[in-house]
Amino acid sequence: MNSPFISPGMPPLDQKGKQTSFFEFWPMWLMYLPVFFMWIIWAIRYRSLTLPLIANPKINLSGMVGTPKSDIFNMAGEFAKSSILDWFVVHQSKYSYQQIVTQMQHKGFSFPIVVKPDIGCRGTGVKLIKTEQELKTVLTTYSEDSPIMVQKLSDFEAEVGLFYVKLPGQKTGTIQSMAFKYSPYVVGDGTSTLGELLQKDDRAKDLLDIYQNSCDFDLVLKPEEPHKLVFSASHCRGAIFRDGIEFNTPELEAQLDKIMSDIPDFNYGRLDVKFKDLMSLQKGQTLQIVEINGAASESLHIWDRNANLNQAFCALLWQYKTLFLLGKQAREKGVKTPGIKALIKAWLHERSLVKFYPVND
């Protein structure tokens, strides 16, 4: 956004020049069209359509689709758990509202908290809950069939997406992509409405449909008052992503590998991580893991405004070629590939849940 305010702890955000790449908000099917065709070619070469679904052998379908977030969290050992923000999962068909509040108290949670679907898709349904009444209200917006994750709110606002891969034959994993996730802000001038401020912004004016359901366009902000447009720093909600691989360090990479090595046979995925400031991040300190995503993960640097289409396609194709290679490694160790029916069933189940999720904050 064209304002001097950014999330505390984040690197400076250069906002000169173009605000988006020309393909940044293309439909997902179009961005992944090259992957579809190459998947067929690789499937023929490696004699399996579903080889990527065993790249993370201990995770159902490798985390490609329909995998509960809690499944991966539950696999974590004590060291990895120490970096994951506290959470628990409830099923509304089994838990009353009061039981959920009691469990929060048992876990030491205090408001605000984060509520989100356990089986999620691109950040859909993530809600910031500030009071008991808000919790009571938002629970009614989820289907009773949808397991819900209740998670402690991070101490920090700064966030980074770390794409971690342990290549076949390697004993340690590496950070293949690193992207900072900037929550969109505007700053008030004391006279303009929020809608008018958005119209003046080179990026926000093209994304008004994203903000119209979550923002009061008639709100007038005080002079120099920062206003965060959305809570969830997801691409579909207008978050700004910047390639941050230049800030990677051996210390951060070693700490991340130590954490991920405490999750059995985890070879490929992206972590969404909150951190205090850039210095502590580079030292591998103050890491608070919000989510760990599996085979469906994206390298978020492709949504940097300076990334070109060829770079984005190459990154996606490298990712899925790597999934095939990891799947090949697992198959050679005796892991059996699932049938295509299992993939379709999981996709249909996820789709049936997602259509009932509330708009994320």
Side-chain angles (χ1 to χ4, degrees):
M1 313 300 288
N2 288 336
S3 78
F5 192 87
I6 60 171
S7 301
M10 297 282 274
L13 181 60
D14 179 13
Q15 299 185 80
K16 297 178 182 178
K18 62 181 181 179
Q19 295 300 304
T20 62
S21 64
F22 78 95
F23 61 88
E24 187 172 342
F25 291 98
W26 278 8
M28 282 298 103
W29 68 263
L30 185 56
M31 283 298 300
Y32 278 81
L33 198 58
V35 173
F36 171 78
F37 289 115
M38 289 306 299
W39 189 302
I40 300 301
I41 293 172
W42 291 325
I44 294 172
R45 177 178 178 181
Y46 293 105
R47 305 182 310 283
S48 173
L49 266 173
T50 59
L51 201 58
L53 305 185
I54 57 172
N56 295 319
K58 298 290 178 63
I59 302 173
N60 184 45
L61 300 180
S62 196
M64 180 65 72
V65 65
T67 304
K69 299 176 177 66
S70 58
D71 279 6
I72 301 177
F73 284 174
N74 279 324
M75 292 169 57
E78 289 304 314
F79 182 79
K81 284 181 180 177
S82 67
S83 295
I84 298 173
L85 283 171
D86 285 345
W87 60 276
F88 63 89
V89 170
V90 297
H91 294 76
Q92 293 195 84
S93 59
K94 300 178 182 178
Y95 287 81
S96 68
Y97 164 75
Q98 191 55 53
Q99 287 174 313
I100 295 173
V101 173
T102 299
Q103 192 161 354
M104 283 180 56
Q105 294 170 344
H106 177 72
K107 296 281 287 187
F109 286 16
S110 60
F111 290 100
I113 58 170
V114 178
V115 173
K116 54 189 172 183
D118 192 26
I119 300 176
C121 179
R122 297 187 176 276
T124 305
V126 178
K127 307 295 287 185
L128 175 64
I129 306 301
K130 300 177 182 178
T131 65
E132 283 196 25
Q133 184 56 49
E134 285 186 9
L135 175 61
K136 196 169 189 176
T137 300
V138 80
L139 288 174
T140 65
T141 65
Y142 294 97
S143 165
E144 285 196 356
D145 296 328
S146 172
I148 302 167
M149 177 174 285
V150 179
Q151 191 170 42
K152 182 180 179 181
L153 181 66
S154 174
D155 300 317
F156 316 119
E157 186 172 321
E159 185 171 350
V160 66
L162 302 175
F163 194 83
Y164 171 89
V165 178
K166 185 181 292 183
L167 294 168
Q170 300 296 312
K171 294 183 178 180
T172 59
T174 57
I175 296 173
Q176 294 291 327
S177 171
M178 179 173 173
F180 293 106
K181 306 168 72 173
Y182 292 85
S183 296
Y185 275 89
V186 293
V187 176
D189 59 13
T191 57
S192 301
T193 65
L194 181 57
E196 290 169 340
L197 291 172
L198 294 177
Q199 288 284 2
K200 296 175 185 178
D201 187 273
D202 291 339
R203 178 181 172 89
K205 67 183 181 182
D206 296 326
L207 305 175
L208 293 179
D209 58 326
I210 291 178
Y211 304 125
Q212 64 182 356
N213 292 326
S214 58
C215 295
D216 178 4
F217 282 8
D218 295 324
L219 177 67
V220 177
L221 302 173
K222 298 176 183 178
E224 303 303 317
E225 178 186 357
H227 180 81
K228 184 157 62 169
L229 297 173
V230 293
F231 165 70
S232 179
S234 59
H235 188 247
C236 66
R237 298 296 289 159
I240 302 168
F241 292 170
R242 290 289 186 266
D243 189 348
I245 196 64
E246 65 183 284
F247 295 101
N248 187 22
T249 63
E251 292 85 358
L252 172 60
E253 204 158 53
Q255 180 68 2
L256 191 68
D257 183 62
K258 189 175 180 181
I259 292 170
M260 301 315 295
S261 295
D262 201 28
I263 301 178
D265 290 337
F266 191 98
N267 301 311
Y268 178 107
R270 191 190 74 242
L271 294 84
D272 295 327
V273 180
K274 298 283 190 176
F275 61 95
K276 181 180 179 180
D277 53 42
L278 186 57
M279 183 178 294
S280 63
L281 173 67
Q282 291 183 300
K283 291 180 179 179
Q285 300 171 349
T286 73
L287 305 183
Q288 295 186 345
I289 298 171
V290 176
E291 287 191 12
I292 301 175
N293 306 284
S297 301
E298 279 179 345
S299 296
L300 297 182
H301 76 275
I302 67 174
W303 304 121
D304 185 303
R305 63 179 180 177
N306 293 316
N308 62 49
L309 187 59
N310 182 63
Q311 290 171 328
F313 281 158
C314 285
L316 291 174
L317 291 173
W318 180 88
Q319 288 179 211
Y320 283 83
K321 177 63 178 296
T322 301
L323 282 172
F324 270 90
L325 293 175
L326 288 168
K328 177 176 177 288
Q329 173 184 256
R331 184 173 62 183
E332 289 171 350
K333 293 180 179 179
V335 180
K336 293 184 179 180
T337 56
I340 195 68
K341 287 184 178 180
L343 178 63
I344 294 174
K345 182 179 179 181
W347 177 73
L348 290 174
H349 178 58
E350 181 181 281
R351 188 180 180 189
S352 70
L353 295 176
V354 168
K355 65 182 180 181
F356 293 111
Y357 292 162
V359 176
N360 50 332
D361 289 339

